[in-house]
């Protein structure tokens, strides 16, 4: 009995000693081993979160640098292409006009692909770039088409600024199909970006399966799902697992916040890359994008907007009239902007457009905060796991 007590006392003392020695993944973070990873956020532990965030950034940079030798040919080709582009852009000659057009087009296309990736990846909290960027762009083109009576806007300034053309082109008369054609490139590039953003979960689950690691918790089927969300997850996973290409295509063709589970499931069950990416690309960049475009174009149809504004008067307490004037102000400002010359000053912004600008800034701010928190939590989990494994070995 004394030996047992002495042994327990030694264990207790050792536990206290280990807690005193433990300073968490970073220095000066005493007691952080008792913190749940989800609690490492800026509004709870600001200094710790910022420290772990920069440590994770440094770790990711070192990983990228260490992988450079494995992709030496690709890196050298990219550098050579970049140097050649800069030289051709600086040297004067007849090719300058083509270089300018090519550079402008590449930046414009890259912008929409990047927005699609941000919407899909987001480190757990994607930026809603369709609502913030692509949807308003389609709506602006739709309103301009009905106001101008055509779609052959002068380019430039289109798409940065939409001005009614001086002469209408019969080939670009206002119709739903012509509007869809006008914004098809931007929409499909955004869809391509969302498809590329679904690749990290796929590769992570595939690498874990090939390394003979246990599957992620999200791909372990539960016999007794707790709620609707769990049932939805299981439905997506089983659909992808059983139906294959058509199941992935179906999940990618509709607005589906649980599609990350499809990527995890495909990676875990070693679905071929082109089967997964091909179905995702077709579903997101072709099928779903045309449905979303159609919805926005119909919603911003001029006659439909007028009908909706007339319905606002039915609302009790004068609420409809309060909202009608700001909406009409935005439409008048849009129409005035379409007819003004490039040198005239833009019309003053309404309070509703100002509120929307604030909303956009708030969304971007939340997106940045979510990235900082997510990277800090990732570093904490990895370092805490390494610390525990080291203790077990000792």
């Amino acid at each position: 009995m004394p030996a047992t007590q002495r042994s327990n006392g030694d264990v207790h003392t050792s536990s206290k000693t280990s807690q005193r020695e433990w300073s968490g993944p970073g220095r000066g973070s005493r007691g952080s081993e008792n913190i749940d990873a989800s609690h490492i956020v800026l509004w709870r532990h600001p200094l710790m979160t910022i420290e772990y965030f920069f440590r994770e950034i440094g770790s990711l940079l070192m990983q990228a640098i260490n992988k450079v030798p494995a992709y030496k040919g690709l890196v050298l080709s990219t550098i050579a292409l970049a140097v050649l582009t800069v030289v051709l852009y600086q040297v004067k000659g007849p090719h300058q006009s083509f270089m300018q057009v090519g550079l402008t087009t590449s930046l414009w296309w890259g912008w929409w692909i990047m927005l699609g990736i941000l919407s899909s990846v987001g480190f757990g909290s994607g930026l809603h770039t369709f609502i913030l960027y692509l949807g308003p762009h389609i709506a602006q083109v739709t309103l301009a088409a009905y106001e101008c009576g055509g779609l052959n806007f002068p380019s430039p300034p289109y798409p940065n600024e939409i001005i009614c053309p001086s002469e209408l082109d019969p080939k670009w008369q206002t119709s739903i199909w012509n509007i869809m054609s006008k914004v098809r490139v931007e929409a499909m590039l955004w869809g391509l970006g969302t498809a590329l953003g679904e690749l990290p979960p796929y590769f992570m689950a595939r690498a874990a399966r090939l390394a003979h690691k246990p599957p992620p918790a999200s791909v372990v089927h539960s016999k007794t799902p707790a709620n609707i969300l769990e049932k939805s997850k299981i439905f997506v996973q089983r659909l992808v697992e059983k139906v294959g290409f058509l199941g992935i295509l179906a999940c990618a063709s509709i607005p589906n916040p649980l599609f990350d589970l499809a990527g995890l499931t495909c990676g875990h069950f070693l679905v071929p890359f082109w089967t997964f990416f091909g179905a995702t690309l077709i579903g997101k960049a072709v099928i779903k994008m045309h449905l979303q475009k159609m919805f926005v174009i119909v919603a911003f149809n001029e006659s439909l907007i007028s009908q909706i504004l007339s319905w606002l008067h039915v609302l009790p307490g004068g609420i409809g009239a309060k909202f009608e004037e700001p909406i009409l102000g935005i439409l008048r400002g849009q129409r005035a902007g379409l007819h003004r010359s490039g040198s005239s000053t833009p019309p003053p912004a309404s309070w509703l457009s100002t509120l929307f600008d604030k909303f956009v800034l708030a969304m971007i701010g939340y997106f940045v905060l979510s990235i900082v928190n997510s990277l800090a939590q990732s570093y904490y989990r990895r370092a805490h796991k390494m610390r525990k494994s080291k203790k077990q070995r000792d």
Side-chain angles (χ1 to χ4, degrees):
M1 189 69 179
T4 305
Q5 291 177 352
R6 184 171 60 254
S7 175
N8 291 339
D10 292 341
V11 172
H12 185 64
T13 304
S14 175
S15 176
K16 287 185 177 180
T17 303
S18 65
Q19 288 184 7
R20 285 196 301 268
E21 291 176 352
W22 168 257
S23 60
R27 297 176 182 176
S29 305
R30 296 195 177 276
S32 61
E33 78 281 7
N34 296 322
I35 300 176
D36 188 83
S38 62
H39 293 169
I40 300 180
V41 290
L42 285 169
W43 47 89
R44 288 193 176 187
H45 305 281
L47 296 179
M48 184 188 302
T49 304
I50 292 173
E51 177 189 357
Y52 294 170
F53 166 73
F54 282 109
R55 286 175 177 269
E56 181 69 5
I57 290 293
S59 177
L60 293 175
L61 289 176
M62 291 303 300
Q63 291 179 20
I65 293 173
N66 293 333
K67 289 182 179 179
V68 168
Y71 300 93
K72 192 180 299 181
L74 178 61
V75 173
L76 293 176
S77 301
T78 304
I79 294 175
L81 180 61
V83 171
L84 180 62
T85 303
V86 173
V87 171
L88 291 176
Y89 189 78
Q90 295 296 330
V91 176
K92 295 182 179 180
H95 64 279
Q96 279 283 350
S97 59
F98 298 101
M99 290 294 300
Q100 185 65 37
V101 172
L103 181 61
T104 304
T105 303
S106 300
L107 292 176
W108 180 245
W109 289 1
W111 165 252
W112 289 111
I113 293 176
M114 181 193 69
L115 289 177
I117 293 174
L118 290 177
S119 175
S120 192
V121 179
F123 296 97
S125 178
L127 184 65
H128 301 290
T129 52
F130 181 86
I131 297 175
L132 298 178
Y133 296 99
L134 183 57
H137 174 70
I138 298 174
Q140 185 182 15
V141 173
T142 303
L143 291 173
Y146 283 108
E147 173 65 17
C148 300
L151 284 158
N152 57 320
F153 309 120
S155 180
Y158 178 85
N160 297 323
E161 184 180 1
I162 300 178
I163 298 177
C164 287
S166 56
E167 296 182 3
L168 298 179
D169 188 349
K171 296 180 180 179
W172 286 103
Q173 293 180 352
T174 301
S175 68
I176 292 178
W177 302 114
N178 282 341
I179 297 174
M180 292 179 67
S181 299
K182 190 71 174 180
V183 298
R184 179 173 291 128
V185 173
E186 294 89 340
M188 295 188 70
L189 289 174
W190 185 87
L192 169 62
T194 61
L196 293 174
E198 300 294 347
L199 293 181
Y202 169 82
F203 283 120
M204 289 170 57
R206 184 181 179 88
R209 178 64 183 271
L210 294 176
H212 304 288
K213 294 180 180 179
S218 55
V219 298
V220 177
H221 298 316
S222 173
K223 295 182 179 180
T224 56
N227 50 40
I228 297 178
L229 180 61
E230 292 297 327
K231 292 180 180 179
S232 303
K233 290 180 179 180
I234 295 172
F235 173 77
V236 171
Q237 291 168 191
R238 290 178 176 172
L239 178 65
V240 171
E241 181 183 352
K242 293 181 179 180
V243 185
F245 181 90
L246 295 178
I248 303 169
L249 182 65
C251 291
S253 299
I254 58 175
N256 184 6
L258 303 176
F259 190 78
D260 284 343
L261 299 174
L264 290 172
T265 304
C266 292
H268 174 69
F269 291 103
L270 302 181
V271 174
F273 169 77
W274 286 111
T275 300
F276 169 73
F277 185 69
T280 303
L281 182 63
I282 294 173
K284 286 182 172 290
V286 180
I287 300 176
K288 188 174 79 169
M289 276 316 308
H290 280 79
L291 295 175
Q292 290 177 307
K293 282 193 302 180
M294 178 73 72
F295 173 79
V296 175
I297 292 170
V298 170
F300 282 86
N301 183 287
E302 187 177 17
S303 59
L304 185 60
I305 290 178
S306 301
Q307 182 65 36
I308 294 175
L309 291 177
S310 65
W311 290 344
L312 291 177
H313 291 284
V314 183
L315 296 177
I319 298 176
K322 293 179 181 178
F323 280 96
E324 180 181 8
E325 188 59 33
I327 295 175
L328 289 176
I330 292 177
L331 296 178
R332 293 192 195 102
Q334 175 69 20
R335 292 189 177 99
L338 294 172
H339 294 289
R340 66 183 176 86
S341 61
S343 59
S344 61
T345 58
S350 65
W351 67 268
L352 196 58
S353 60
T354 304
L355 183 63
F356 181 76
D357 292 339
K358 303 297 182 184
F359 170 74
V360 171
L361 290 176
M363 289 292 296
I364 295 175
Y366 173 76
F367 178 69
V368 173
L369 290 178
S370 68
I371 292 178
V372 174
N373 294 334
S374 179
L375 290 178
Q377 293 168 10
S378 177
Y379 178 83
Y380 173 82
R381 291 190 184 97
R382 186 175 65 255
H384 187 61
K385 184 177 179 181
M386 292 173 62
R387 180 71 177 184
K388 288 180 64 177
S389 62
K390 183 179 179 181
K391 283 184 178 181
Q392 292 175 358
R393 290 195 303 266
D394 296 341

